[in-house]
């Protein structure tokens, strides 16, 4: 069986499908694994994305999991490697972007890589090292209120420096004006200066092309999913495949599960509530009678499912989220909600005939796919930039799953997704 060209390590589940969807759009056949597999792949593909749930782990855990993923990918024969994190550079002063990058460089015997978080299609751009979300700096976009990884500084070299033992530099828009040759020249200059990780300015797709071509000899690159559109063309002899996004039809009932509290998801939930039956998770009830509340959520969905989806959500505005976290703790409340949503999804698959599920939120997506026992996903057509439909491989019955990062998708994605699947 032919070895994959590209081996990717993603620090959360929705980020993995985000990257995988970009690679599919560029004509690669992609398999996403849930965690590090314990056996070789039995599917022919051009790229493999190993999805971890390491973004908010302790740095030592994130490093260990990432190194295990790298070892497995090297065993599969991957030629180059991509460490994928969010286009909003979600991290803390301790990591995990810096520690994982350092560890992967060491394992590969390398001393330099790029950090390219940009995704221009979703208006995530970098200029002079500052990350923008739309028209505002990252720390003015709502990410400053993220419950686990609040981003209060948009200058990425300064954010990254405390996390890594490498000197951090910048490939600015001035270098990108020279195209791939300008990128190569700037990389050579930075390496002479002792820089080990260079943040890349990126304003548009052409910049991503220049970065991919200018760094094609690097064994490891890191960043958001934008590079997934341009890296495939840098492999000698690679020909895009027209059927890369084809999935088999999946019938059954439809479900939307939302645990994200991002601004984008809050707007999507409000739109969905006007178009489908919806019920909110009561966090107080989860702490007083978790089993009883979970049964009530399952019953609500089971009683109301016809041809259209049902929405079960724990998405609340920042002020209400803070109140919940003050009452029960950040980690405790998040884990309780994730477990409840994952249990509801599993029960509705087992007894409710649900086969098509859209999940909003990286942590929630990880909990749901784990509860469903999904180990591998084939990547299919894109709903919105960074959000593809996927299909489970190896489950008793195929499941169609869309794992959506909280910040991704248009206001109507929760309704339009199922139209796209049809």
């Amino acid at each position: 069986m032919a070895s994959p060209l590209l081996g990717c390590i993603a620090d959360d589940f929705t980020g993995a499908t985000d990257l995988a969807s970009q690679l599919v759009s560029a004509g690669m056949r992609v398999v996403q694994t849930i965690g590090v597999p314990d056996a070789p792949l039995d599917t022919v593909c051009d790229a493999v994305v190993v999805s971890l749930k390491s973004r908010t782990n302790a740095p030592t855990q994130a490093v260990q999991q990432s190194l295990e993923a790298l070892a497995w990918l090297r065993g599969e024969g991957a030629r180059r490697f991509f460490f994928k994190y969010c286009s909003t550079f979600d991290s803390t002063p301790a990591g995990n972007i810096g520690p994982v990058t350092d560890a992967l460089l060491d394992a590969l015997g390398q001393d330099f890589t790029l950090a390219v978080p940009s995704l221009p299609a979703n208006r995530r751009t970098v200029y002079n090292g500052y990350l923008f979300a739309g028209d505002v700096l990252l720390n003015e976009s709502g990410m400053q209120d993220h419950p686990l990884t609040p981003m209060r500084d948009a200058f990425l070299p300064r954010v990254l420096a405390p996390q890594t033992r490498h000197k951090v530099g910048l490939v600015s828009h001035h270098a990108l004006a020279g195209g791939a040759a300008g990128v190569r020249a700037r990389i050579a200059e930075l390496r002479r200066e002792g820089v080990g990780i260079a943040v890349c300015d990126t304003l548009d797709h052409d910049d991503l092309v220049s970065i991919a071509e200018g760094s094609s000899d690097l064994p490891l690159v890191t960043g958001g999913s934008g590079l997934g559109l341009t890296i495939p063309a840098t492999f000698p002899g690679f020909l895009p495949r027209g059927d890369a996004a084809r999935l088999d039809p999946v019938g059954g009932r439809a479900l939307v599960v939302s645990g994200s509290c991002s601004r984008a998801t809050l707007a999507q939930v409000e739109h969905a509530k006007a178009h489908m039956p919806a019920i909110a998770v009561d966090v107080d009830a989860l702490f007083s009678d978790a089993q009883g509340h979970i049964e009530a959520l399952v019953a609500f969905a089971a009683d109301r499912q016809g041809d259209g989806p049902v929405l079960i959500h724990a998405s609340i505005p920042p002020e209400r989220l803070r109140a919940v976290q003050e009452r029960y703790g950040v980690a405790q409340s998040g884990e309780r909600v994730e477990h409840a949503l994952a249990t509801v999804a599993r029960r509705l698959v087992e007894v409710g005939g649900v086969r098509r599920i859209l999940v909003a939120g990286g942590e929630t997506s990880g909990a749901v796919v784990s509860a469903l026992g999904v180990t591998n996903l084939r990547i299919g057509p894109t709903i919105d930039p960074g959000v593809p439909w996927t299909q489970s491989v190896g489950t008793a019955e195929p499941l169609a799953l869309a794992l959506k990062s909280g910040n991704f998708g248009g206001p109507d994605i929760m309704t339009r997704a199922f139209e796209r699947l049809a």
Side-chain angles (χ1 to χ4, degrees), residues 14-64:
T14 57
T17 54
D18 174 15
L19 173 60
S21 73
Q22 308 294 350
L23 296 169
V24 166
S25 295
M28 278 188 156
R29 298 166 299 177
V30 182
V31 170
Q32 176 181 338
T33 72
I34 308 304
V36 181
D38 55 10
L41 275 183
D42 58 1
T43 304
V44 175
C45 59
D46 304 301
V48 183
V49 183
V50 177
S51 49
L52 305 176
K53 195 180 178 186
S54 60
R55 180 172 299 170
T56 56
N57 283 0
T60 52
Q61 294 177 319
V63 165
Q64 179 182 351

Short mmCIF file of all heavy atoms in Angstrom, two decimals, residues 14-64:
data_model
loop_
_atom_site.label_atom_id
_atom_site.label_comp_id
_atom_site.label_asym_id
_atom_site.label_seq_id
_atom_site.Cartn_x
_atom_site.Cartn_y
_atom_site.Cartn_z
N THR A 14 -11.94 19.38 15.88
CA THR A 14 -12.46 20.23 14.83
C THR A 14 -11.33 20.83 14.00
O THR A 14 -11.47 21.02 12.80
CB THR A 14 -13.34 21.36 15.41
OG1 THR A 14 -12.58 22.12 16.35
CG2 THR A 14 -14.56 20.79 16.08
N GLY A 15 -10.21 21.13 14.66
CA GLY A 15 -9.06 21.61 13.91
C GLY A 15 -8.55 20.58 12.93
O GLY A 15 -8.09 20.91 11.83
N ALA A 16 -8.65 19.32 13.30
CA ALA A 16 -8.24 18.24 12.41
C ALA A 16 -9.13 18.19 11.17
O ALA A 16 -8.64 18.07 10.03
CB ALA A 16 -8.27 16.91 13.14
N THR A 17 -10.44 18.26 11.36
CA THR A 17 -11.33 18.22 10.19
C THR A 17 -11.20 19.49 9.36
O THR A 17 -11.37 19.45 8.13
CB THR A 17 -12.79 18.02 10.62
OG1 THR A 17 -13.17 19.02 11.56
CG2 THR A 17 -13.01 16.67 11.24
N ASP A 18 -10.90 20.60 10.01
CA ASP A 18 -10.64 21.85 9.29
C ASP A 18 -9.47 21.66 8.33
O ASP A 18 -9.59 21.91 7.12
CB ASP A 18 -10.36 22.94 10.33
CG ASP A 18 -9.93 24.27 9.73
OD1 ASP A 18 -10.10 24.46 8.52
OD2 ASP A 18 -9.42 25.12 10.50
N LEU A 19 -8.35 21.18 8.83
CA LEU A 19 -7.19 20.95 7.97
C LEU A 19 -7.51 19.90 6.91
O LEU A 19 -7.18 20.07 5.73
CB LEU A 19 -5.99 20.50 8.81
CG LEU A 19 -4.75 20.06 8.02
CD1 LEU A 19 -4.24 21.18 7.14
CD2 LEU A 19 -3.67 19.57 8.97
N ALA A 20 -8.15 18.82 7.31
CA ALA A 20 -8.46 17.76 6.36
C ALA A 20 -9.32 18.27 5.21
O ALA A 20 -9.13 17.88 4.05
CB ALA A 20 -9.17 16.61 7.08
N SER A 21 -10.26 19.17 5.52
CA SER A 21 -11.13 19.69 4.46
C SER A 21 -10.36 20.53 3.46
O SER A 21 -10.65 20.52 2.25
CB SER A 21 -12.28 20.52 5.07
OG SER A 21 -11.81 21.77 5.56
N GLN A 22 -9.35 21.25 3.94
CA GLN A 22 -8.53 22.05 3.01
C GLN A 22 -7.70 21.14 2.11
O GLN A 22 -7.56 21.39 0.90
CB GLN A 22 -7.60 22.98 3.81
CG GLN A 22 -8.27 23.84 4.86
CD GLN A 22 -9.22 24.87 4.28
OE1 GLN A 22 -9.27 25.08 3.06
NE2 GLN A 22 -9.98 25.52 5.12
N LEU A 23 -7.16 20.07 2.71
CA LEU A 23 -6.38 19.12 1.90
C LEU A 23 -7.25 18.44 0.85
O LEU A 23 -6.83 18.24 -0.30
CB LEU A 23 -5.74 18.08 2.81
CG LEU A 23 -4.70 18.60 3.82
CD1 LEU A 23 -4.34 17.51 4.82
CD2 LEU A 23 -3.46 19.10 3.10
N VAL A 24 -8.48 18.10 1.23
CA VAL A 24 -9.42 17.50 0.26
C VAL A 24 -9.74 18.49 -0.85
O VAL A 24 -9.79 18.14 -2.02
CB VAL A 24 -10.69 17.03 0.98
CG1 VAL A 24 -11.80 16.72 -0.02
CG2 VAL A 24 -10.40 15.80 1.82
N SER A 25 -9.94 19.76 -0.48
CA SER A 25 -10.22 20.78 -1.49
C SER A 25 -9.08 20.92 -2.48
O SER A 25 -9.29 21.29 -3.65
CB SER A 25 -10.48 22.13 -0.82
OG SER A 25 -11.66 22.09 -0.03
N ALA A 26 -7.87 20.60 -2.03
CA ALA A 26 -6.70 20.66 -2.92
C ALA A 26 -6.49 19.34 -3.67
O ALA A 26 -5.51 19.19 -4.39
CB ALA A 26 -5.45 20.99 -2.11
N GLY A 27 -7.42 18.38 -3.51
CA GLY A 27 -7.39 17.16 -4.30
C GLY A 27 -6.74 15.97 -3.64
O GLY A 27 -6.50 14.95 -4.30
N MET A 28 -6.47 16.05 -2.32
CA MET A 28 -5.90 14.90 -1.63
C MET A 28 -7.00 14.02 -1.04
O MET A 28 -8.01 14.53 -0.55
CB MET A 28 -4.98 15.37 -0.49
CG MET A 28 -3.59 15.76 -0.91
SD MET A 28 -2.51 16.08 0.53
CE MET A 28 -0.90 15.78 -0.21
N ARG A 29 -6.78 12.71 -1.07
CA ARG A 29 -7.63 11.77 -0.34
C ARG A 29 -7.13 11.74 1.11
O ARG A 29 -5.95 11.49 1.35
CB ARG A 29 -7.57 10.39 -0.96
CG ARG A 29 -8.06 10.31 -2.39
CD ARG A 29 -7.66 9.00 -3.03
NE ARG A 29 -6.19 8.88 -3.07
CZ ARG A 29 -5.55 7.80 -3.53
NH1 ARG A 29 -6.24 6.77 -3.99
NH2 ARG A 29 -4.23 7.75 -3.54
N VAL A 30 -8.03 11.99 2.05
CA VAL A 30 -7.60 12.20 3.43
C VAL A 30 -8.36 11.28 4.38
O VAL A 30 -9.58 11.12 4.27
CB VAL A 30 -7.82 13.67 3.86
CG1 VAL A 30 -7.32 13.89 5.29
CG2 VAL A 30 -7.09 14.62 2.91
N VAL A 31 -7.62 10.71 5.32
CA VAL A 31 -8.20 9.97 6.43
C VAL A 31 -7.83 10.70 7.72
O VAL A 31 -6.67 11.10 7.90
CB VAL A 31 -7.68 8.52 6.49
CG1 VAL A 31 -8.12 7.85 7.79
CG2 VAL A 31 -8.19 7.73 5.30
N GLN A 32 -8.82 10.91 8.57
CA GLN A 32 -8.58 11.49 9.89
C GLN A 32 -8.73 10.39 10.93
O GLN A 32 -9.74 9.68 10.95
CB GLN A 32 -9.58 12.61 10.17
CG GLN A 32 -9.45 13.21 11.57
CD GLN A 32 -10.48 14.30 11.81
OE1 GLN A 32 -11.01 14.89 10.88
NE2 GLN A 32 -10.76 14.58 13.07
N THR A 33 -7.75 10.26 11.79
CA THR A 33 -7.84 9.28 12.87
C THR A 33 -8.22 9.99 14.17
O THR A 33 -7.85 11.14 14.39
CB THR A 33 -6.52 8.53 13.08
OG1 THR A 33 -5.55 9.39 13.70
CG2 THR A 33 -5.97 8.00 11.76
N ILE A 34 -8.96 9.29 15.01
CA ILE A 34 -9.33 9.82 16.32
C ILE A 34 -8.33 9.29 17.33
O ILE A 34 -8.41 8.13 17.75
CB ILE A 34 -10.77 9.43 16.69
CG1 ILE A 34 -11.73 9.80 15.55
CG2 ILE A 34 -11.18 10.10 18.00
CD1 ILE A 34 -11.71 11.25 15.13
N GLY A 35 -7.37 10.12 17.70
CA GLY A 35 -6.27 9.66 18.52
C GLY A 35 -5.23 8.93 17.68
O GLY A 35 -5.34 8.82 16.44
N VAL A 36 -4.21 8.43 18.35
CA VAL A 36 -3.13 7.72 17.65
C VAL A 36 -3.55 6.27 17.45
O VAL A 36 -3.84 5.56 18.43
CB VAL A 36 -1.83 7.77 18.46
CG1 VAL A 36 -0.71 7.05 17.71
CG2 VAL A 36 -1.43 9.22 18.75
N PRO A 37 -3.62 5.79 16.22
CA PRO A 37 -4.04 4.40 15.97
C PRO A 37 -3.08 3.40 16.61
O PRO A 37 -1.89 3.69 16.80
CB PRO A 37 -4.02 4.29 14.45
CG PRO A 37 -4.12 5.70 13.95
CD PRO A 37 -3.39 6.52 14.96
N ASP A 38 -3.59 2.23 16.92
CA ASP A 38 -2.74 1.16 17.46
C ASP A 38 -2.44 0.10 16.40
O ASP A 38 -1.95 -0.98 16.72
CB ASP A 38 -3.39 0.52 18.68
CG ASP A 38 -4.80 0.00 18.42
OD1 ASP A 38 -5.19 -0.03 17.23
OD2 ASP A 38 -5.49 -0.36 19.38
N ALA A 39 -2.75 0.42 15.14
CA ALA A 39 -2.48 -0.51 14.04
C ALA A 39 -2.23 0.29 12.78
O ALA A 39 -2.59 1.48 12.70
CB ALA A 39 -3.67 -1.46 13.84
N PRO A 40 -1.63 -0.31 11.76
CA PRO A 40 -1.42 0.41 10.50
C PRO A 40 -2.74 0.74 9.81
O PRO A 40 -3.77 0.09 10.04
CB PRO A 40 -0.61 -0.59 9.66
CG PRO A 40 -0.03 -1.54 10.64
CD PRO A 40 -1.02 -1.64 11.75
N LEU A 41 -2.72 1.75 8.97
CA LEU A 41 -3.89 2.09 8.18
C LEU A 41 -4.19 0.99 7.18
O LEU A 41 -3.27 0.36 6.64
CB LEU A 41 -3.65 3.39 7.40
CG LEU A 41 -3.91 4.73 8.08
CD1 LEU A 41 -3.66 5.85 7.08
CD2 LEU A 41 -5.32 4.81 8.62
N ASP A 42 -5.47 0.78 6.91
CA ASP A 42 -5.85 -0.17 5.87
C ASP A 42 -6.59 0.56 4.75
O ASP A 42 -7.34 -0.05 3.99
CB ASP A 42 -6.71 -1.30 6.44
CG ASP A 42 -7.98 -0.78 7.11
OD1 ASP A 42 -8.20 0.45 7.11
OD2 ASP A 42 -8.75 -1.62 7.62
N THR A 43 -6.37 1.87 4.65
CA THR A 43 -7.03 2.70 3.66
C THR A 43 -5.99 3.46 2.85
O THR A 43 -5.07 4.04 3.43
CB THR A 43 -7.98 3.71 4.33
OG1 THR A 43 -8.91 3.00 5.13
CG2 THR A 43 -8.73 4.54 3.30
N VAL A 44 -6.12 3.47 1.54
CA VAL A 44 -5.22 4.24 0.70
C VAL A 44 -5.57 5.72 0.81
O VAL A 44 -6.74 6.11 0.70
CB VAL A 44 -5.32 3.79 -0.77
CG1 VAL A 44 -4.47 4.67 -1.67
CG2 VAL A 44 -4.87 2.33 -0.90
N CYS A 45 -4.57 6.56 1.04
CA CYS A 45 -4.83 7.99 1.15
C CYS A 45 -3.55 8.75 0.81
O CYS A 45 -2.45 8.19 0.79
CB CYS A 45 -5.33 8.37 2.54
SG CYS A 45 -4.19 7.96 3.86
N ASP A 46 -3.72 10.04 0.57
CA ASP A 46 -2.58 10.92 0.28
C ASP A 46 -2.09 11.64 1.53
O ASP A 46 -0.94 12.06 1.59
CB ASP A 46 -2.96 11.96 -0.78
CG ASP A 46 -3.47 11.31 -2.05
OD1 ASP A 46 -2.71 10.53 -2.65
OD2 ASP A 46 -4.63 11.57 -2.43
N ALA A 47 -2.99 11.82 2.50
CA ALA A 47 -2.63 12.50 3.74
C ALA A 47 -3.40 11.87 4.90
O ALA A 47 -4.54 11.42 4.73
CB ALA A 47 -2.93 14.00 3.66
N VAL A 48 -2.77 11.85 6.06
CA VAL A 48 -3.41 11.39 7.29
C VAL A 48 -3.35 12.52 8.30
O VAL A 48 -2.31 13.15 8.47
CB VAL A 48 -2.70 10.15 7.88
CG1 VAL A 48 -3.44 9.67 9.11
CG2 VAL A 48 -2.61 9.05 6.85
N VAL A 49 -4.48 12.76 8.96
CA VAL A 49 -4.54 13.76 10.03
C VAL A 49 -4.87 13.04 11.33
O VAL A 49 -5.96 12.48 11.47
CB VAL A 49 -5.60 14.84 9.74
CG1 VAL A 49 -5.57 15.91 10.84
CG2 VAL A 49 -5.37 15.49 8.38
N VAL A 50 -3.91 13.01 12.25
CA VAL A 50 -4.14 12.42 13.56
C VAL A 50 -4.72 13.50 14.47
O VAL A 50 -4.07 14.52 14.73
CB VAL A 50 -2.84 11.87 14.17
CG1 VAL A 50 -3.10 11.32 15.57
CG2 VAL A 50 -2.25 10.79 13.28
N SER A 51 -5.95 13.31 14.92
CA SER A 51 -6.59 14.31 15.76
C SER A 51 -6.42 13.94 17.23
O SER A 51 -6.80 12.86 17.66
CB SER A 51 -8.07 14.46 15.41
OG SER A 51 -8.72 13.21 15.34
N LEU A 52 -5.82 14.85 17.97
CA LEU A 52 -5.62 14.71 19.39
C LEU A 52 -6.55 15.67 20.13
O LEU A 52 -7.16 16.55 19.52
CB LEU A 52 -4.17 15.02 19.77
CG LEU A 52 -3.09 14.23 19.04
CD1 LEU A 52 -1.71 14.72 19.45
CD2 LEU A 52 -3.25 12.74 19.30
N LYS A 53 -6.63 15.51 21.41
CA LYS A 53 -7.37 16.46 22.26
C LYS A 53 -6.36 17.03 23.25
O LYS A 53 -6.45 16.83 24.45
CB LYS A 53 -8.52 15.75 22.97
CG LYS A 53 -9.54 16.70 23.57
CD LYS A 53 -10.67 15.95 24.25
CE LYS A 53 -11.65 16.94 24.87
NZ LYS A 53 -12.68 16.24 25.67
N SER A 54 -5.37 17.74 22.69
CA SER A 54 -4.20 18.14 23.47
C SER A 54 -4.06 19.64 23.66
O SER A 54 -3.14 20.09 24.34
CB SER A 54 -2.93 17.61 22.80
OG SER A 54 -2.80 18.12 21.48
N ARG A 55 -4.96 20.42 23.07
CA ARG A 55 -4.78 21.88 23.10
C ARG A 55 -4.73 22.43 24.52
O ARG A 55 -3.92 23.32 24.82
CB ARG A 55 -5.91 22.57 22.32
CG ARG A 55 -5.80 24.09 22.30
CD ARG A 55 -6.80 24.71 21.37
NE ARG A 55 -6.59 24.25 20.00
CZ ARG A 55 -7.43 24.47 19.01
NH1 ARG A 55 -8.55 25.12 19.23
NH2 ARG A 55 -7.16 24.03 17.80
N THR A 56 -5.56 21.91 25.40
CA THR A 56 -5.62 22.44 26.75
C THR A 56 -5.06 21.47 27.79
O THR A 56 -5.24 21.68 28.99
CB THR A 56 -7.07 22.82 27.11
OG1 THR A 56 -7.92 21.68 26.95
CG2 THR A 56 -7.57 23.95 26.23
N ASN A 57 -4.39 20.42 27.33
CA ASN A 57 -3.72 19.51 28.26
C ASN A 57 -2.51 20.18 28.90
O ASN A 57 -2.03 21.22 28.42
CB ASN A 57 -3.24 18.25 27.54
CG ASN A 57 -4.37 17.28 27.26
OD1 ASN A 57 -5.51 17.53 27.59
ND2 ASN A 57 -4.05 16.17 26.62
N ALA A 58 -1.98 19.57 29.94
CA ALA A 58 -0.69 20.00 30.46
C ALA A 58 0.35 19.84 29.35
O ALA A 58 0.27 18.89 28.54
CB ALA A 58 -0.30 19.15 31.67
N PRO A 59 1.32 20.76 29.25
CA PRO A 59 2.30 20.67 28.16
C PRO A 59 2.99 19.31 28.05
O PRO A 59 3.23 18.83 26.93
CB PRO A 59 3.29 21.79 28.51
CG PRO A 59 2.48 22.79 29.24
CD PRO A 59 1.49 21.99 30.04
N THR A 60 3.32 18.69 29.17
CA THR A 60 4.00 17.39 29.10
C THR A 60 3.11 16.34 28.43
O THR A 60 3.60 15.51 27.65
CB THR A 60 4.39 16.91 30.50
OG1 THR A 60 3.24 16.95 31.36
CG2 THR A 60 5.48 17.80 31.08
N GLN A 61 1.80 16.37 28.73
CA GLN A 61 0.87 15.44 28.09
C GLN A 61 0.75 15.72 26.60
O GLN A 61 0.73 14.80 25.77
CB GLN A 61 -0.49 15.51 28.76
CG GLN A 61 -0.53 15.03 30.20
CD GLN A 61 -1.90 15.21 30.81
OE1 GLN A 61 -2.56 16.23 30.60
NE2 GLN A 61 -2.34 14.22 31.57
N ALA A 62 0.62 17.00 26.25
CA ALA A 62 0.49 17.37 24.84
C ALA A 62 1.72 16.94 24.05
O ALA A 62 1.60 16.43 22.93
CB ALA A 62 0.28 18.88 24.71
N VAL A 63 2.90 17.12 24.64
CA VAL A 63 4.13 16.72 23.97
C VAL A 63 4.17 15.20 23.79
O VAL A 63 4.48 14.70 22.70
CB VAL A 63 5.35 17.20 24.78
CG1 VAL A 63 6.63 16.49 24.31
CG2 VAL A 63 5.52 18.71 24.62
N GLN A 64 3.83 14.47 24.83
CA GLN A 64 3.87 13.00 24.73
C GLN A 64 2.93 12.50 23.65
O GLN A 64 3.30 11.65 22.82
CB GLN A 64 3.51 12.38 26.08
CG GLN A 64 3.50 10.86 26.05
CD GLN A 64 3.10 10.25 27.39
OE1 GLN A 64 2.97 10.95 28.39
NE2 GLN A 64 2.87 8.94 27.40
#
